[in-house]
Amino acid sequence: MSEPLDAIAVSGLLVARLAAVGVDPARVLERAGLPRDRVVSGGTLTTREFFALWHAVDAEPGPRDLGLRLSEGRRPSEYDVASAAALRSPNLEEAVRRFARYKRLSCPEQVRVDVKGGEASIRFHWVLAETHVPRTLVDASFASLLALARRGTGTALTPLRLELARRPADEALLARHFGCPIRFEAPFDRFVLPEKALSLPFITFDPAALADLVPGLDAALERRAGRATFDDDVRMAIVRAMCGERPSIDRVARELGVGTRTLQRRLGQAGLTYQSLLDEVRRTAARRLLAKTSLETTDVAFLLGFEEPNSFHRSFTAWEGLTPGRWRGRALERGAART
């Protein structure tokens, strides 16, 4: 039986690393509502279950640097397939490209790399996420990426900045670890490097290991891509297009290399419409921005591509049964009750 797309492989290594930084794994798993054997024995979790695990880590009392410490001291033998292929690449640009390509093998997460204006920005997007990405998971992901880049280049590489889609907190701690400015209340979590850093050679370049790794990884990726659905592709295209302008069906169709009528027909065969997918993506993004940032609702409306704030207000109220302001207030109350 083929592995479902919403399947994230986990192992006892995560439990061991939690224990190593002073976290009681049993307490975390109980809080997340997950049986220990599924996490320890190399099973899989859905995105919802995986986020529940990391939200439980977020709720741990004590130091706020758990995500950073979880990324420290990893040996190459402990890397996932994406990191292993990246580490053996000839330079940072190829490493980032391979990391983005093969990350899809271990979880339904897309890594987008954009190069513009002398900057290279790396953004992680969880395709099937229904809530905001847990804070500790974001910190651990970016810290692991920086550690890999520093190990590969053999330098103390420093990002230009980190952009985080959450309210200001722990700025000094994060700035000290990453060595760069931290910008909060961003529309997305983003790791930004100088473009020129992409040409840095990797001292860990291993062409023989790549020759052994890449064919198998590419074959696995083709098998996984064959199980992806067209509506998944449309969702991702909407996410890529949605930042300050309305992601029109014509634009999304062009990005996917199909005609507008073909896109509509293929979605119709799955019992979907373009508008239903656009609403789904916008609703998920709106909930995250309202719950985790202090952005004004007018700014949220702009980021989601609504032509005017009133349109966003009406749409959100129809989705949630509450105005954006009242929904945010309740989300903050729930967050305060958990802490």
Side-chain angles (χ1 to χ4, degrees):
M1 180 180 295
S2 63
E3 182 184 352
L5 289 174
D6 192 10
I8 302 167
V10 292
S11 71
L13 180 61
L14 176 57
V15 170
R17 295 197 69 79
L18 286 172
V21 297
V23 174
D24 181 354
R27 183 174 63 231
V28 167
L29 293 173
E30 181 180 3
R31 184 184 293 128
L34 296 172
R36 181 183 176 88
D37 59 347
R38 285 183 59 200
V39 178
V40 174
S41 62
T44 62
L45 300 177
T46 64
T47 300
R48 178 179 292 180
E49 292 170 331
F50 190 66
F51 275 28
L53 173 64
W54 283 96
H55 281 306
V57 176
D58 280 356
E60 280 292 294
R64 299 269 296 179
D65 63 347
L66 284 178
L68 306 178
R69 288 194 284 143
L70 283 168
S71 70
E72 294 175 347
R74 290 174 65 203
R75 298 185 296 273
S77 60
E78 298 173 339
Y79 282 176
D80 59 22
V81 292
S83 300
L87 191 64
R88 292 164 173 80
S89 300
N91 55 44
L92 182 57
E93 182 173 16
E94 283 296 305
V96 171
R97 183 182 67 82
R98 284 196 171 92
F99 181 83
R101 177 172 174 78
Y102 298 127
K103 189 65 177 176
R104 288 173 284 173
L105 288 173
S106 58
C107 58
E109 181 184 27
Q110 298 277 349
V111 181
R112 176 175 174 177
V113 184
D114 293 310
V115 179
K116 184 179 180 181
E119 297 182 351
S121 67
I122 303 170
R123 173 186 160 199
F124 296 177
H125 175 71
W126 287 86
V127 180
L128 303 176
E130 299 173 351
T131 64
H132 63 275
V133 185
R135 169 183 57 82
T136 309
L137 177 57
V138 173
D139 294 351
S141 297
F142 283 158
S144 295
L145 181 62
L146 180 60
L148 185 149
R150 287 176 171 173
R151 174 172 287 173
T153 62
T155 70
L157 182 66
T158 302
L160 288 175
R161 65 184 177 278
L162 237 60
E163 300 178 7
L164 300 175
R166 64 192 193 224
R167 293 182 176 81
D170 314 311
E171 182 173 5
L173 182 153
L174 293 168
R176 185 167 57 251
H177 183 89
F178 290 97
C180 66
I182 312 297
R183 293 186 183 175
F184 295 96
E185 317 244 51
F188 311 107
D189 297 308
R190 205 188 317 254
F191 182 96
V192 185
L193 291 165
E195 181 182 358
K196 61 183 180 182
L198 295 178
S199 63
L200 289 172
F202 263 31
I203 61 175
T204 53
F205 178 39
D206 189 339
L210 277 179
D212 289 337
L213 273 173
V214 167
L217 295 181
D218 283 343
L221 197 60
E222 287 182 13
R223 290 194 298 272
R224 188 173 182 88
R227 300 196 303 275
T229 61
F230 183 68
D231 51 287
D232 289 332
D233 294 336
V234 174
R235 288 184 181 91
M236 277 307 304
I238 290 172
V239 169
R240 289 192 292 269
M242 185 185 67
C243 189
E245 61 180 275
R246 188 181 190 278
S248 69
I249 187 171
D250 293 335
R251 176 178 174 180
V252 169
R254 284 196 303 271
E255 180 170 335
L256 294 175
V258 300
T260 301
R261 290 184 178 179
T262 299
L263 187 150
Q264 292 173 318
R265 175 176 55 80
R266 292 185 63 179
L267 288 180
Q269 290 170 347
L272 299 167
T273 66
Y274 179 76
Q275 187 62 49
S276 69
L277 292 186
L278 177 59
D279 286 345
E280 175 191 318
V281 172
R282 280 175 158 174
R283 180 180 183 180
T284 300
R287 289 167 62 96
R288 174 179 57 81
L289 290 169
L290 290 171
K292 302 305 292 183
T293 77
S294 300
L295 291 170
E296 297 290 337
T297 55
T298 52
D299 295 325
V300 174
F302 170 77
L303 290 171
L304 299 183
F306 282 91
E307 294 180 358
E308 57 181 26
N310 284 342
S311 297
F312 168 61
H313 189 279
R314 288 193 297 271
S315 294
F316 190 88
T317 303
W319 296 332
E320 303 295 340
L322 294 170
T323 65
R326 292 191 64 188
W327 188 93
R328 168 177 269 168
R330 292 195 178 183
L332 292 175
E333 290 173 2
R334 290 194 297 269
R338 287 195 296 265
T339 59

